[in-house]
Amino acid sequence: MILGMSVAAFTQLHVIISLIAIISGILVAFGMLNARLMPGMTTLFLLLTVATSVTGFMFPTPVDAPRVIGSLDPANVVGAISLIFLALAILALYAYKLTGSWRGVYVISAIIALYFNCFVLVAQSFQKISFLHALAPTQKEPPFAVAQAILLILFVGLGIAAFKKFRPMARMPAAA
């Protein structure tokens, strides 16, 4: 049981939160490419991406999971790094209002957080979708590496383009 739910029900909730976070994040990223802030969608993306990472920590670590440091497994490390970038994005957007270099901090941090969600989506897809699992059962095979490399290249390009293009117009005060 996790938060009073069966592991299966909690997993379903976590997956739904994750998919909505990814979809909203993609919309926010496309908004950045058009210099649009999209406040409601951005809040949804940031909130659900934080929820994705936080709920990810609540799963029991499998006994046979590889360890990075001590009891930390790779999923915990990705979640922790994602939360650091999310904190930077939230700080840049809500505390510093994207002023000065905080615009760049926001863009880079938000894109990296979205990348980590998509990275996990690809990894989970290779674990759970039989066609993909057959191609890379241990996730050490070339098809998995190629899929993750393509994802990384796409996100590097997206990040560079968003950094260059995301300059939302400041709201002008109403005329008296």
Side-chain angles (χ1 to χ4, degrees):
M1 298 284 286
I2 305 172
L3 297 179
M5 293 181 257
S6 68
V7 174
F10 186 77
T11 300
Q12 203 168 30
L13 175 65
H14 174 77
V15 168
I16 291 167
I17 291 169
S18 300
L19 291 175
I20 296 170
I22 289 169
I23 292 166
S24 61
I26 290 169
L27 294 174
V28 167
F30 280 119
M32 287 181 191
L33 296 176
N34 293 304
R36 292 182 50 218
L37 187 54
M38 303 173 69
M41 190 63 63
T42 300
T43 300
L44 181 68
F45 161 62
L46 294 172
L47 180 68
L48 292 182
T49 304
V50 167
T52 295
S53 292
V54 170
T55 58
F57 286 117
M58 295 179 190
F59 287 100
T61 303
V63 177
D64 61 341
R67 303 286 188 244
V68 178
I69 301 170
S71 64
L72 287 177
D73 65 4
N76 291 5
V77 173
V78 169
I81 294 169
S82 182
L83 285 172
I84 291 167
F85 282 105
L86 286 162
L88 286 170
I90 290 166
L91 190 66
L93 179 61
Y94 296 112
Y96 292 101
K97 311 287 185 206
L98 304 177
T99 57
S101 61
W102 287 103
R103 178 199 61 83
V105 170
Y106 166 72
V107 170
I108 292 166
S109 298
I111 295 295
I112 289 172
L114 177 59
Y115 165 73
F116 279 127
N117 257 3
C118 292
F119 176 90
V120 171
L121 175 66
V122 170
Q124 289 293 318
S125 295
F126 272 90
Q127 283 183 345
K128 309 292 184 201
I129 299 172
S130 58
F131 167 75
L132 294 174
H133 185 76
L135 294 174
T138 67
Q139 296 186 353
K140 294 178 181 163
E141 294 79 10
F144 180 77
V146 168
Q148 291 293 14
I150 290 169
L151 183 70
L152 179 61
I153 291 165
L154 287 172
F155 269 87
V156 167
L158 176 62
I160 291 168
F163 184 83
K164 289 179 180 179
K165 294 182 177 189
F166 183 67
R167 299 185 187 279
M169 299 284 289
R171 293 188 183 213
M172 301 300 289

